[in-house]
Amino acid sequence: MSLISENVIPGNHGKVFGTNATSHDDLIKIQDAVQRVKGVKDVILKEEVFPREFTVHTIDIVTVKDIEEAVIGTGFHAIPKSTFSL
């Protein structure tokens, strides 16, 4: 594991997560929970893909584990996608 794979690094690229939530209301719950994590700047939902995705941008280094735990608190899961597309 590395700094980049285990954390969300500040910047305009963010980190993309997949989730098992499907409804708009559930995705809003996830968005609210993740935005409460210290260091998170914004959460952008992508509802037109399956499985649903969201991108997290930060102002500080935030661990992927903190994001995953915030989402688990809503009853869903968050799986980080690859850092860079090939």
Side-chain angles (χ1 to χ4, degrees):
M1 293 298 171
S2 70
L3 176 72
I4 293 175
S5 65
E6 294 179 0
N7 297 286
V8 182
I9 308 298
N12 59 359
H13 49 79
K15 188 165 200 74
V16 178
F17 292 81
T19 182
N20 60 331
T22 55
S23 76
H24 177 74
D25 292 339
D26 292 338
L27 291 168
I28 294 298
K29 288 179 191 175
I30 289 172
Q31 184 179 40
D32 292 342
V34 173
Q35 285 182 327
R36 284 188 233 116
V37 174
K38 184 179 180 186
V40 172
K41 179 180 174 183
D42 63 11
V43 179
I44 300 169
L45 302 175
K46 192 170 182 183
E47 298 184 56
E48 62 275 358
V49 297
F50 185 83
R52 304 298 189 255
E53 296 178 349
F54 60 93
T55 303
V56 178
H57 295 100
T58 63
I59 56 173
D60 250 341
I61 293 179
V62 176
T63 66
V64 167
K65 184 177 179 182
D66 288 344
I67 304 288
E68 291 172 333
E69 288 175 356
V71 174
I72 287 171
T74 66
F76 297 99
H77 296 283
I79 308 297
K81 296 215 166 194
S82 67
T83 305
F84 301 104
S85 59
L86 300 173

